[in-house]
Amino acid sequence: MASIEQKRPGPRAATETMRAAVVEDFARPLVVKQVAKPVAGQGEIVVRIETSGLCHTDIHAAHGDWPVKPSPPFIPGHEGIGTVEEVGSGVTEVVVGDRVAMPWLGYACGNCAYCVSGWETLCLQQKNTGYSIDGSFAEYVKAYGRYVVRVPDGVNLVDAAPLTCAGVTTYKAIKVAGTRPSDLAAIFGVGGLGHLALQYARIAGGRVVAVDLHDEKLELAKELGAEFTVNAAREDPVAAIQKLGGADQAIALAVSPKAFKQAFGSLRRGGTLVFVALPADNTVELPIFETVLQGITVVGSIVGTRVDRREVFELHAAGKTRVITELRPLDTINESIADVEAGRIPARIVFTP
Ligand SMILES: [Zn+2]
Ligand SMILES: [Zn+2]
């Protein structure tokens, strides 16, 4: 049990160093080098990283792809799992030795209308791990004690990493989509996100049609519970899904404007399109006429809250989900990014520092 009386070492000098993968310039590869080890301030903790997943967002961060850019030099990574090594003053949520997950939502104010209504992910004062604050592609990371989530014993360190972002993001997307028993959920893109999205759709009681361009990924989707698959390189997914009666929900996880349009076209009347993936091409054209006449809902879903993360870990500890990972040393970061961009990865790369 957590006790208020924590062993608190005196302030540590900020002279120790650690290895980290650093973005120094958006146009250049990351540099793995020695940097200063962080020191926990008030409300903060320092965590010794054991595993850290590679999310597409980290790649966009490293390339400076999005309208609001991080400021180099910075350390990406927001699927970090590790052990609390140091707690700053005022931290009551975790103790030294706890195993925790450090998500994209690294900090929120806790007080605004969004925070108090269960939408901390919309807080205007939020700080994002691996983007506006240094992330987990390092031996140590500093985090806010209030926004980390404990990893239960039944979840191993490697699976916990992708569950921290890919898991929670797709779990929330299925909640936002409102998938119910017998609904047909179309999952566009079976990668790090999609292979988990389809499992959550199944847990919600939905039937799943998975869409991807690669047969191996569609095989994986079948193995994980997809009832139907469509290879969009060979077959028009809109026609194929309409033949099944149309999707009640389409979850857009593939980072291509074409896939977003196809996801829209695959819906049945009254269906819901959920935007999740963030492509570097920021816009997609959708027809207003069909949206209105067919009563289509278009909704964006951004990561998930601490409650969502607890539920995701709970489901995994209960054996309800499978996470497909490939473990690699952090030194492979640049070739790993190239592999993800080329679609050569079965699901999720997880680094060890
Ligand atoms: Zn992510
Ligand atoms: Zn807030």
Side-chain angles (χ1 to χ4, degrees):
M1 271 310 287
S3 116
I4 306 291
E5 288 284 308
Q6 298 193 27
K7 201 180 82 191
R8 218 163 256 150
R12 184 165 51 77
T15 51
E16 292 173 48
T17 62
M18 65 168 186
R19 281 176 73 252
V22 182
V23 175
E24 295 186 332
D25 185 319
F26 294 133
R28 291 207 309 265
L30 280 83
V31 182
V32 178
K33 62 178 204 177
Q34 291 289 323
V35 299
K37 181 181 167 184
V39 177
Q42 191 180 358
E44 296 172 339
I45 60 176
V46 171
V47 176
R48 183 170 52 79
I49 291 292
E50 288 171 277
T51 58
S52 185
L54 174 60
C55 177
H56 240 109
T57 295
D58 298 313
I59 301 176
H60 291 301
H63 293 343
D65 279 336
W66 289 341
V68 180
K69 297 178 199 311
S71 344
F74 70 96
I75 303 168
H78 58 275
E79 286 186 346
I81 306 296
T83 306
V84 178
E85 200 184 88
E86 185 186 341
V87 294
S89 62
V91 172
T92 55
E93 296 82 7
V94 292
V95 295
V96 169
D98 276 352
R99 182 196 280 175
V100 295
M102 279 143 299
W104 171 251
L105 188 72
Y107 170 87
C109 81
N111 231 351
C112 69
Y114 300 113
C115 281
V116 298
S117 61
W119 285 98
E120 61 196 30
T121 49
L122 302 182
C123 177
L124 282 158
Q125 291 177 56
Q126 69 182 270
K127 295 178 188 171
N128 299 117
T129 311
Y131 210 87
S132 56
I133 51 178
D134 278 335
S136 51
F137 291 165
E139 289 178 290
Y140 295 90
V141 67
K142 187 165 76 170
Y144 290 88
R146 186 162 292 170
Y147 285 88
V148 301
V149 167
R150 266 204 207 82
V151 181
D153 289 339
V155 178
N156 79 54
L157 286 174
V158 179
D159 289 354
L163 289 173
T164 298
C165 181
V168 105
T169 298
T170 52
Y171 179 69
K172 187 66 160 195
I174 295 297
K175 273 189 172 177
V176 166
T179 303
R180 292 186 307 178
S182 95
D183 279 358
L184 181 66
I187 308 295
F188 280 78
V190 184
L193 291 168
H195 89 286
L196 286 161
L198 74 91
Q199 296 180 68
Y200 295 126
R202 292 262 299 155
I203 289 169
R207 301 169 70 187
V208 170
V209 51
V211 183
D212 204 281
L213 299 168
H214 304 282
D215 284 333
E216 328 79 76
K217 295 201 172 169
L218 294 171
E219 276 308 309
L220 173 66
K222 268 197 182 145
E223 227 179 274
L224 295 172
E227 191 174 341
F228 312 99
T229 58
V230 181
N231 187 321
R234 285 198 302 267
E235 198 183 349
D236 174 18
V238 173
I241 295 171
Q242 287 300 342
K243 214 187 285 172
L244 298 171
D248 294 278
Q249 297 93 26
I251 317 293
L253 305 170
V255 282
S256 113
K258 192 174 169 191
F260 283 85
K261 283 181 117 165
Q262 290 172 333
F264 179 88
S266 76
L267 292 171
R268 62 184 290 162
R269 291 185 161 225
T272 300
L273 171 60
V274 185
F275 283 174
V276 180
L278 299 170
D281 303 302
N282 190 25
T283 53
V284 61
E285 219 173 78
L286 295 178
I288 295 168
F289 189 83
E290 284 79 357
T291 304
V292 173
L293 268 72
Q294 295 173 19
I296 302 294
T297 301
V298 179
V299 59
S301 183
I302 174 72
V303 293
T305 63
R306 288 165 288 177
V307 171
D308 296 318
R309 190 161 297 97
R310 284 182 195 138
E311 291 171 358
V312 158
F313 285 151
E314 197 178 302
L315 286 169
H316 195 68
K320 306 286 184 199
T321 46
R322 256 180 74 195
V323 187
I324 309 298
T325 54
E326 190 181 318
L327 205 56
R328 295 185 179 189
L330 184 58
D331 302 87
T332 67
I333 182 133
N334 290 309
E335 56 199 89
S336 295
I337 286 176
D339 286 345
V340 170
E341 287 183 314
R344 286 191 290 260
I345 300 303
R348 205 65 156 182
I349 290 175
V350 175
F351 295 121
T352 51

